[in-house]
Tab-separated table of all heavy atoms in Angstrom:
chain	number	residue	atom	x	y	z
A	1	VAL	N	-80.686	87.830	198.819
A	1	VAL	CA	-79.291	87.554	198.465
A	1	VAL	C	-79.211	87.005	196.998
A	1	VAL	O	-78.365	87.466	196.230
A	1	VAL	CB	-78.608	86.612	199.465
A	1	VAL	CG1	-77.242	86.154	198.967
A	1	VAL	CG2	-78.491	87.268	200.827
A	2	PRO	N	-80.070	86.063	196.602
A	2	PRO	CA	-79.990	85.622	195.197
A	2	PRO	C	-80.281	86.715	194.179
A	2	PRO	O	-79.704	86.745	193.126
A	2	PRO	CB	-81.060	84.521	195.135
A	2	PRO	CG	-81.142	84.000	196.526
A	2	PRO	CD	-80.939	85.202	197.383
A	3	ILE	N	-81.168	87.659	194.535
A	3	ILE	CA	-81.426	88.778	193.606
A	3	ILE	C	-80.157	89.618	193.482
A	3	ILE	O	-79.750	89.980	192.392
A	3	ILE	CB	-82.621	89.623	194.082
A	3	ILE	CG1	-83.904	88.862	193.831
A	3	ILE	CG2	-82.651	90.972	193.340
A	3	ILE	CD1	-85.167	89.577	194.358
A	4	GLY	N	-79.523	89.941	194.620
A	4	GLY	CA	-78.292	90.705	194.583
A	4	GLY	C	-77.173	89.996	193.802
A	4	GLY	O	-76.481	90.608	193.025
A	5	ALA	N	-77.028	88.702	194.066
A	5	ALA	CA	-76.002	87.941	193.382
A	5	ALA	C	-76.289	87.833	191.898
A	5	ALA	O	-75.355	87.964	191.066
A	5	ALA	CB	-75.862	86.546	194.025
A	6	GLY	N	-77.515	87.617	191.557
A	6	GLY	CA	-77.890	87.531	190.118
A	6	GLY	C	-77.626	88.824	189.396
A	6	GLY	O	-77.139	88.840	188.247
A	7	LEU	N	-77.953	89.960	190.027
A	7	LEU	CA	-77.724	91.245	189.407
A	7	LEU	C	-76.228	91.570	189.367
A	7	LEU	O	-75.742	92.170	188.410
A	7	LEU	CB	-78.498	92.345	190.143
A	7	LEU	CG	-79.994	92.274	189.971
A	7	LEU	CD1	-80.708	93.330	190.848
A	7	LEU	CD2	-80.418	92.419	188.508
A	8	ALA	N	-75.497	91.166	190.415
A	8	ALA	CA	-74.034	91.378	190.413
A	8	ALA	C	-73.400	90.607	189.258
A	8	ALA	O	-72.522	91.069	188.557
A	8	ALA	CB	-73.440	90.953	191.747
A	9	PHE	N	-73.890	89.357	189.034
A	9	PHE	CA	-73.407	88.575	187.919
A	9	PHE	C	-73.777	89.251	186.600
A	9	PHE	O	-72.915	89.431	185.718
A	9	PHE	CB	-74.039	87.157	187.987
A	9	PHE	CG	-73.844	86.366	186.707
A	9	PHE	CD1	-72.673	85.736	186.436
A	9	PHE	CD2	-74.911	86.272	185.790
A	9	PHE	CE1	-72.497	85.010	185.274
A	9	PHE	CE2	-74.744	85.558	184.644
A	9	PHE	CZ	-73.552	84.906	184.342
A	10	ALA	N	-75.028	89.660	186.448
A	10	ALA	CA	-75.505	90.246	185.183
A	10	ALA	C	-74.755	91.499	184.816
A	10	ALA	O	-74.513	91.756	183.619
A	10	ALA	CB	-77.005	90.574	185.301
A	11	PHE	N	-74.327	92.290	185.819
A	11	PHE	CA	-73.681	93.545	185.536
A	11	PHE	C	-72.170	93.538	185.789
A	11	PHE	O	-71.541	94.582	185.771
A	11	PHE	CB	-74.364	94.679	186.329
A	11	PHE	CG	-75.815	94.770	185.984
A	11	PHE	CD1	-76.764	94.852	187.013
A	11	PHE	CD2	-76.286	94.743	184.697
A	11	PHE	CE1	-78.117	94.922	186.715
A	11	PHE	CE2	-77.638	94.806	184.378
A	11	PHE	CZ	-78.544	94.899	185.418
A	12	SER	N	-71.620	92.343	185.944
A	12	SER	CA	-70.145	92.274	185.988
A	12	SER	C	-69.629	92.570	184.575
A	12	SER	O	-70.319	92.382	183.583
A	12	SER	CB	-69.713	90.874	186.456
A	12	SER	OG	-70.091	89.877	185.501
A	13	ARG	N	-68.407	93.067	184.548
A	13	ARG	CA	-67.888	93.594	183.285
A	13	ARG	C	-67.900	92.595	182.121
A	13	ARG	O	-68.408	92.886	181.052
A	13	ARG	CB	-66.457	94.072	183.535
A	13	ARG	CG	-65.836	94.702	182.313
A	13	ARG	CD	-64.457	95.232	182.611
A	13	ARG	NE	-63.923	95.836	181.406
A	13	ARG	CZ	-62.701	96.258	181.308
A	13	ARG	NH1	-61.863	96.129	182.349
A	13	ARG	NH2	-62.263	96.774	180.190
A	14	GLY	N	-67.375	91.407	182.321
A	14	GLY	CA	-67.286	90.448	181.240
A	14	GLY	C	-68.663	89.983	180.753
A	14	GLY	O	-68.910	89.819	179.552
A	15	VAL	N	-69.555	89.734	181.693
A	15	VAL	CA	-70.898	89.278	181.365
A	15	VAL	C	-71.657	90.379	180.612
A	15	VAL	O	-72.241	90.137	179.556
A	15	VAL	CB	-71.665	88.860	182.650
A	15	VAL	CG1	-73.123	88.611	182.364
A	15	VAL	CG2	-71.000	87.623	183.255
A	16	TRP	N	-71.616	91.585	181.112
A	16	TRP	CA	-72.312	92.697	180.459
A	16	TRP	C	-71.778	92.920	179.047
A	16	TRP	O	-72.514	93.126	178.080
A	16	TRP	CB	-72.200	93.934	181.299
A	16	TRP	CG	-73.160	95.036	180.992
A	16	TRP	CD1	-73.917	95.191	179.864
A	16	TRP	CD2	-73.501	96.126	181.839
A	16	TRP	NE1	-74.694	96.329	179.939
A	16	TRP	CE2	-74.480	96.926	181.157
A	16	TRP	CE3	-73.080	96.536	183.089
A	16	TRP	CZ2	-75.001	98.085	181.697
A	16	TRP	CZ3	-73.652	97.676	183.641
A	16	TRP	CH2	-74.560	98.438	182.948
A	17	GLN	N	-70.451	92.867	178.884
A	17	GLN	CA	-69.847	93.071	177.557
A	17	GLN	C	-70.328	92.014	176.594
A	17	GLN	O	-70.571	92.321	175.403
A	17	GLN	CB	-68.329	93.035	177.662
A	17	GLN	CG	-67.738	94.302	178.221
A	17	GLN	CD	-66.211	94.191	178.398
A	17	GLN	OE1	-65.668	93.096	178.451
A	17	GLN	NE2	-65.569	95.327	178.471
A	18	SER	N	-70.467	90.761	177.028
A	18	SER	CA	-70.934	89.710	176.126
A	18	SER	C	-72.411	89.780	175.869
A	18	SER	O	-72.919	89.164	174.941
A	18	SER	CB	-70.566	88.351	176.714
A	18	SER	OG	-69.150	88.180	176.712
A	19	ALA	N	-73.153	90.451	176.737
A	19	ALA	CA	-74.607	90.506	176.633
A	19	ALA	C	-75.102	91.512	175.606
A	19	ALA	O	-76.241	91.408	175.170
A	19	ALA	CB	-75.194	90.830	178.005
A	20	VAL	N	-74.309	92.468	175.227
A	20	VAL	CA	-74.807	93.532	174.376
A	20	VAL	C	-74.212	93.533	172.987
A	20	VAL	O	-74.439	94.469	172.192
A	20	VAL	CB	-74.574	94.914	175.063
A	20	VAL	CG1	-75.390	95.009	176.347
A	20	VAL	CG2	-73.095	95.167	175.348
A	21	VAL	N	-73.464	92.494	172.624
A	21	VAL	CA	-72.888	92.359	171.289
A	21	VAL	C	-73.131	90.939	170.773
A	21	VAL	O	-73.501	90.033	171.545
A	21	VAL	CB	-71.367	92.674	171.290
A	21	VAL	CG1	-71.106	94.109	171.695
A	21	VAL	CG2	-70.607	91.711	172.153
A	22	THR	N	-72.869	90.731	169.515
A	22	THR	CA	-72.973	89.408	168.928
A	22	THR	C	-71.793	88.568	169.377
A	22	THR	O	-70.654	88.829	168.996
A	22	THR	CB	-73.011	89.491	167.390
A	22	THR	OG1	-74.121	90.262	166.996
A	22	THR	CG2	-73.071	88.136	166.742
A	23	GLU	N	-72.052	87.584	170.223
A	23	GLU	CA	-71.021	86.722	170.777
A	23	GLU	C	-71.642	85.419	171.260
A	23	GLU	O	-72.835	85.380	171.544
A	23	GLU	CB	-70.320	87.455	171.927
A	23	GLU	CG	-69.019	86.868	172.382
A	23	GLU	CD	-68.007	86.617	171.263
A	23	GLU	OE1	-67.312	87.551	170.859
A	23	GLU	OE2	-67.921	85.475	170.816
A	24	VAL	N	-70.848	84.354	171.308
A	24	VAL	CA	-71.386	83.010	171.654
A	24	VAL	C	-71.490	82.769	173.150
A	24	VAL	O	-72.100	81.820	173.592
A	24	VAL	CB	-70.513	81.881	171.039
A	24	VAL	CG1	-70.514	81.992	169.518
A	24	VAL	CG2	-69.098	81.937	171.567
A	25	TYR	N	-70.893	83.619	173.942
A	25	TYR	CA	-70.769	83.337	175.415
A	25	TYR	C	-72.081	83.455	176.144
A	25	TYR	O	-72.273	82.827	177.188
A	25	TYR	CB	-69.692	84.208	176.007
A	25	TYR	CG	-68.372	83.996	175.357
A	25	TYR	CD1	-67.750	85.023	174.675
A	25	TYR	CD2	-67.723	82.750	175.393
A	25	TYR	CE1	-66.525	84.815	174.052
A	25	TYR	CE2	-66.515	82.547	174.768
A	25	TYR	CZ	-65.917	83.579	174.083
A	25	TYR	OH	-64.741	83.392	173.472
A	26	ALA	N	-72.996	84.257	175.660
A	26	ALA	CA	-74.287	84.402	176.349
A	26	ALA	C	-75.054	83.095	176.286
A	26	ALA	O	-75.580	82.603	177.322
A	26	ALA	CB	-75.096	85.542	175.711
A	27	LEU	N	-75.139	82.480	175.136
A	27	LEU	CA	-75.817	81.189	175.017
A	27	LEU	C	-75.055	80.131	175.803
A	27	LEU	O	-75.680	79.278	176.435
A	27	LEU	CB	-75.921	80.770	173.546
A	27	LEU	CG	-76.603	79.441	173.234
A	27	LEU	CD1	-78.015	79.415	173.795
A	27	LEU	CD2	-76.613	79.153	171.761
A	28	ASN	N	-73.737	80.193	175.831
A	28	ASN	CA	-72.944	79.253	176.619
A	28	ASN	C	-73.286	79.345	178.073
A	28	ASN	O	-73.502	78.310	178.753
A	28	ASN	CB	-71.460	79.537	176.377
A	28	ASN	CG	-70.579	78.491	177.016
A	28	ASN	OD1	-70.703	77.312	176.707
A	28	ASN	ND2	-69.702	78.890	177.861
A	29	LEU	N	-73.358	80.546	178.634
A	29	LEU	CA	-73.702	80.702	180.043
A	29	LEU	C	-75.130	80.300	180.309
A	29	LEU	O	-75.411	79.714	181.386
A	29	LEU	CB	-73.457	82.151	180.490
A	29	LEU	CG	-72.025	82.521	180.721
A	29	LEU	CD1	-71.849	84.012	180.953
A	29	LEU	CD2	-71.445	81.743	181.890
A	30	LEU	N	-76.043	80.576	179.399
A	30	LEU	CA	-77.446	80.137	179.601
A	30	LEU	C	-77.528	78.629	179.712
A	30	LEU	O	-78.173	78.121	180.631
A	30	LEU	CB	-78.287	80.645	178.446
A	30	LEU	CG	-79.772	80.228	178.464
A	30	LEU	CD1	-80.483	80.789	179.698
A	30	LEU	CD2	-80.459	80.660	177.182
């Protein structure tokens, strides 16, 4: 379940969009 939830989080629209461009939100979430 944690693997599924972690991948669902990683590939959710807003997270994925912030992960592939220069933006401050990735460090904020980390």
Side-chain angles (χ1 to χ4, degrees):
V1 172
I3 287 175
L7 291 174
F9 167 80
F11 301 132
S12 65
R13 183 177 181 188
V15 170
W16 197 342
Q17 284 177 338
S18 293
V20 295
V21 298
T22 300
E23 194 52 81
V24 299
Y25 301 116
L27 180 58
N28 188 56
L29 283 171
L30 176 63

